[in-house]
Amino acid sequence: MRQIDHFIAGGSDGTASRLGDVFDPNNGGVQAQVALAGQAVLDRAVAAAQAAQPEWAATNPQRRARVMFRFKELVEANMEELAHLLSSEHGKVIADARGDVQRGLDVIEFACGIPHVLKGEYTQSAGPGIDVYSMRQPIGIGAGITPFNFPAMIPMWMFGVAVAVGNAFIIKPSERDPSVPVRLAELFLEAGAPEGILQVVHGDKEMVDAILDHPAIGAVSFVGSSDIAHYVYNRGGAAGKRVQAMGGAKNHGVIMPDADLDQVVTDLVGAAFGSAGERCMALPVVVPVGDDTANRLREKLIPAIEALRVGISTDAEAHYGPVVTAAHKEKIEGWIAKCAEEGGELVIDGRGFTLQGHEDGFFVGPTLIDHVTPDMESYHNEIFGPVLQIVRAADFEEALTLPSKHQYGNGVAIFTRNGHAAREFAARVNVGMVGINVPIPVPVAYHTFGGWKRSAFGDTNQHGMEGVKFWTKIKTVTQRWPDGGVGAAANAFVIPTMG
Ligand code: NAD
């Protein structure tokens, strides 16, 4: 059986204290095993990073940017291989897998401009003969701990910026779909990066703890579920590291009575069910304002959801594929059952869905539940599957309050033709990323990504200038040069000339 190894010091390293199963979500079988390791393997990666990083940091930023350019070209040239590998372990359809790689590449493209971004600040004559300037220096060694749902994009969010500013970087991918980050690290080496600048170590909690406690790692970026994000934030912080830890989500889509409902239905179906709902920016809660809006929306949603095609991840006609593991399928179906017990009306029940010829695959049918209320546990928690809950609001204020009071605050969207309502909503809602007639408001790479409340611990977002801040330390120099007799013949300052 294929074994997925670590990628350390420019080569494959199969050391493992244990092995983990990597499934084929389309068929339910085990397709590979991943080496699960801890402290000893991490120590080797850290040693390689320490050996390589000072020279990389001293390389001028333009040369580092050239590596980023070549890496971007190599990823583009290998797009189909990466998308198929990603899809085979995750289960998302190929078009979504390409999107996963492309959204990561957008950050690489941002990182190609790093020489411009790293220019510091300067104040001349802050005092008599005194100048002040600041420079951004790399942390040294950074680490990224990533979730299963975007195995290409999220590592690139992190290392794209971290290595471009001069750090060495160690990725600990999700053990459920760990192959793509290894391939990315191979391509980064091929692009001309020195060995040890981008490495991959595999593992579970044991490796995560080793990373959080390692004294040579200066900053850790985490993306995953909220309880673990909180744990990572606390433990990494206690070890003196800089930590940003993004967590779960339960994004709401508010539908005002004046919204274009046909457009809303198209948008909602993609945002709630695309990638089987396994997106932190999915829209699993829809909040129609007023019963009339709710009834009209429901009537249009039912046929659109019934028309969705669930298929294997390589089915080009499928809207979405299987979820990532049998355990996750069971968890999603458990939440559907719980929501029905709590009083939700199961309009379309996706439990027990099977695909002919792939009966053991991890498929969940699309599910629509109406009359969900804020006191339900199934509303309070993230389901992370192809499940759309309708929570009816009486008016705008109630619709604004629902996402604002929810424990998560990643994304939210409002659909309306009323500019004032949209403006008011964007200004007042207690959520980090807002869409106005945009169902999945993921900011472009040169802006930054990050939620509020239990969707993110720490104070810096991913990528864009926030990423640059996170992966660098600012140093400020205040200088005064004594008068060495400028103008006096002996000390005259001579402008250097070529030759
Ligand atoms: P997860 O929390 O199970 O795993 C994330 C990482 O943590 C993995 O690398 C995993 O190996 C590690 N891990 C797992 N258990 C651990 C433990 N007990 N101690 C220490 N480390 C542990 O998350 P997942 O299921 O892979 O990903 C889905 C979650 O990620 C969802 O909650 C989703 O909303 C969230 N997510 C958030 C964002 C965001 O930007 N806010 C983006 C994508 C995904």
Side-chain angles (χ1 to χ4, degrees):
M1 183 170 293
R2 180 167 69 99
Q3 183 173 317
I4 302 158
D5 295 333
H6 317 289
F7 188 78
I8 294 177
S12 197
D13 177 327
T15 312
S17 44
R18 291 167 290 129
L19 291 172
D21 290 337
V22 176
F23 295 96
D24 166 3
N26 290 316
N27 296 304
V30 175
Q31 60 159 310
Q33 290 199 302
V34 57
L36 301 176
Q39 184 74 50
V41 164
L42 180 66
D43 282 344
R44 284 209 295 283
V46 167
Q50 281 172 323
Q53 191 267 336
E55 198 180 327
W56 177 245
T59 304
N60 79 51
Q62 208 176 340
R63 283 175 195 257
R64 290 199 304 265
R66 285 184 194 136
V67 174
M68 306 310 291
F69 271 113
R70 280 196 294 275
F71 175 64
K72 176 179 174 300
E73 284 166 6
L74 281 172
V75 173
E76 280 164 352
N78 289 276
M79 176 65 90
E80 285 313 298
E81 179 217 325
L82 286 164
H84 279 81
L85 183 60
L86 193 160
S87 159
S88 75
E89 293 181 355
H90 177 288
K92 65 175 75 175
V93 296
I94 301 291
D96 281 342
R98 284 191 201 106
D100 191 331
V101 179
Q102 184 54 52
R103 291 309 297 243
L105 271 185
D106 292 349
V107 176
I108 303 301
E109 211 165 52
F110 167 75
C112 289
I114 215 72
H116 173 69
V117 160
L118 281 181
K119 289 184 297 190
E121 294 174 336
Y122 186 89
T123 303
Q124 190 174 15
S125 298
I130 294 176
D131 308 321
V132 180
Y133 63 93
S134 65
M135 53 181 128
R136 293 206 162 268
Q137 297 190 325
I139 300 279
I141 304 176
I145 300 160
T146 56
F148 81 84
N149 69 323
F150 279 99
M153 177 186 81
I154 293 179
M156 284 194 266
W157 275 1
M158 299 173 179
F159 80 72
V161 180
V163 296
V165 301
N167 294 294
F169 196 80
I170 299 171
I171 310 170
K172 202 302 285 174
S174 167
E175 61 276 40
R176 292 182 243 172
D177 48 9
S179 290
V180 166
V182 176
R183 219 25 222 123
L184 293 175
E186 288 170 356
L187 292 173
F188 197 63
L189 191 71
E190 203 181 319
E195 291 175 2
I197 290 303
L198 183 60
Q199 306 182 90
V200 183
V201 296
H202 298 293
D204 47 22
K205 181 174 174 14
E206 185 188 340
M207 182 60 90
V208 171
D209 287 348
I211 290 171
L212 295 173
D213 296 344
H214 204 295
I217 296 175
V220 175
S221 180
F222 172 92
V223 178
S225 50
S226 288
D227 286 348
I228 298 173
H230 198 194
Y231 165 80
V232 163
Y233 182 69
N234 287 332
R235 186 160 176 159
K241 294 183 200 325
R242 190 177 282 196
V243 186
Q244 56 178 193
M246 275 61 189
K250 188 99 181 194
N251 307 320
H252 295 51
V254 170
I255 319 297
M256 295 299 287
D258 65 353
D260 173 349
L261 284 193
D262 292 320
Q263 184 62 47
V264 164
V265 166
T266 306
D267 289 351
L268 262 184
V269 166
F273 301 103
S275 212
E278 293 171 317
R279 291 179 180 144
C280 67
M281 287 297 275
L283 264 192
V285 177
V286 61
V287 184
V289 174
D291 264 335
D292 175 59
T293 314
N295 295 338
R296 286 188 292 125
L297 178 71
R298 173 178 159 152
E299 207 172 292
K300 286 177 185 281
L301 266 176
I302 293 171
I305 293 172
E306 283 173 344
L308 285 172
R309 178 181 167 108
V310 183
I312 57 168
S313 59
T314 48
D315 175 352
E317 304 292 308
H319 292 99
Y320 72 85
V323 301
V324 69
T325 56
H328 192 50
K329 172 181 157 89
E330 202 178 307
K331 186 178 140 200
I332 295 165
E333 294 192 337
W335 278 120
I336 298 171
K338 174 79 181 166
C339 191
E341 269 168 47
E342 290 178 310
E345 180 197 349
L346 262 179
V347 183
I348 302 174
D349 184 354
R351 289 175 298 172
F353 178 96
T354 52
L355 192 67
Q356 206 182 358
H358 299 273
E359 286 76 6
D360 294 328
F362 310 140
F363 296 95
V364 181
T367 298
L368 179 67
I369 315 178
D370 197 359
H371 299 289
V372 173
T373 52
D375 55 318
M376 294 181 185
E377 254 187 81
S378 59
Y379 166 75
H380 186 67
N381 285 283
E382 181 181 41
I383 299 177
F384 219 53
V387 180
L388 179 60
Q389 293 175 302
I390 302 178
V391 182
R392 294 168 177 239
D395 53 27
F396 174 81
E397 286 300 324
E398 192 184 340
L400 173 70
T401 304
L402 284 164
S404 295
K405 286 207 166 154
H406 200 278
Q407 62 164 334
Y408 295 119
N410 217 35
V412 70
I414 183 167
F415 297 85
T416 182
R417 291 183 169 100
N418 180 331
H420 177 73
R423 185 170 181 276
E424 198 56 16
F425 185 83
R428 289 172 58 199
V429 72
N430 185 21
V431 171
M433 291 175 280
V434 182
I436 297 175
N437 297 314
V438 171
I440 305 188
V442 175
V444 290
Y446 41 94
H447 283 254
T448 74
F449 183 104
W452 289 2
K453 297 179 281 182
R454 279 179 57 76
S455 294
F457 302 90
D459 55 11
T460 335
N461 278 1
Q462 298 280 349
H463 63 71
M465 286 311 293
E466 291 271 294
V468 173
K469 269 194 201 162
F470 184 76
W471 296 112
T472 55
K473 298 174 285 195
I474 194 153
K475 183 182 279 179
T476 308
V477 179
T478 303
Q479 68 174 7
R480 179 166 67 90
W481 292 96
D483 181 353
V486 179
N491 292 323
F493 181 65
V494 178
I495 295 174
T497 53
M498 300 297 285

